């Protein structure tokens, strides 16, 4: 469950390290919370100086990991150690060329196949 002002880690190599959620853009909920696979608008809070995304930039990102447990249809739960996102462009493809850490299988149903293919592990 990601809500406004939540600080999230960035799981790609765009140069951003931490971002803060400023708005939820539809997805499974267009209201108060965002979950895995939802798109958010965020502000970059920390960035490396040589990256493509600079501090203060407003970006779109898709949530790939959450601390809140995700219930699957078979009754199992999936929970991660951190909240993480991947920065995407307007076309829905990731801006970075690498993705760090595992991502949830639910991204496949939301048509983020490029993120699935770049991720080292899909849980």
């Amino acid at each position: 469950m990601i809500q406004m002002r939540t600080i999230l880690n960035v799981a790609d190599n765009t140069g951003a390290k931490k971002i803060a959620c400023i708005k939820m853009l539809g997805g499974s909920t267009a209201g108060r919370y965002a979950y895995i696979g939802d798109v958010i608008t965020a502000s970059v809070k920390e960035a490396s100086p040589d990256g493509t995304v600079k501090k203060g930039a407003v970006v779109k990102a898709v949530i790939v990991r959450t601390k809140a447990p995700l219930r699957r249809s078979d009754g199992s739960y999936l929970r991660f150690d951190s909240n993480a996102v991947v920065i995407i462009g307007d076309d829905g493809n990731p801006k970075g060329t690498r993705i760090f850490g595992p991502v949830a299988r639910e991204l496949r149903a939301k048509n983020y196949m490029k993120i699935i293919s770049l991720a080292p592990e899909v849980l």
Side-chain angles (χ1 to χ4, degrees):
M1 281 187 330
I2 305 301
Q3 59 185 354
M4 200 184 293
R5 295 188 180 175
T6 302
I7 302 293
L8 304 112
N9 296 325
V10 179
D12 59 21
N13 64 344
T14 54
K17 298 296 180 198
K18 291 193 183 290
I19 63 173
C21 175
I22 56 177
K23 184 154 181 79
M24 278 61 78
L25 295 177
S28 63
T29 61
R32 186 176 177 99
Y33 303 112
Y35 303 96
I36 289 177
D38 290 351
V39 178
I40 61 170
T41 302
S43 172
V44 178
K45 295 297 182 187
E46 286 182 26
S48 61
D50 56 344
T52 58
V53 177
K54 302 298 180 196
K55 182 180 176 184
V58 176
V59 295
K60 285 184 182 177
V62 62
I63 300 169
V64 296
R65 294 193 292 267
T66 59
K67 285 186 177 181
L70 168 75
R71 186 178 191 279
R72 291 190 167 158
S73 58
D74 64 353
S76 64
Y77 286 88
L78 179 65
R79 182 184 350 203
F80 294 97
D81 289 339
S82 65
N83 296 319
V85 296
V86 171
I87 295 175
I88 58 174
D90 291 331
D91 58 352
N93 287 325
K95 282 191 176 181
T97 56
R98 295 177 61 202
I99 292 178
F100 307 115
V103 299
R105 191 180 309 122
E106 281 71 16
L107 293 175
R108 185 181 301 273
K110 306 243 177 153
N111 290 326
Y112 292 110
M113 299 307 291
K114 184 73 172 174
I115 294 173
I116 294 283
S117 66
L118 289 174
E121 189 175 7
V122 180
L123 297 177

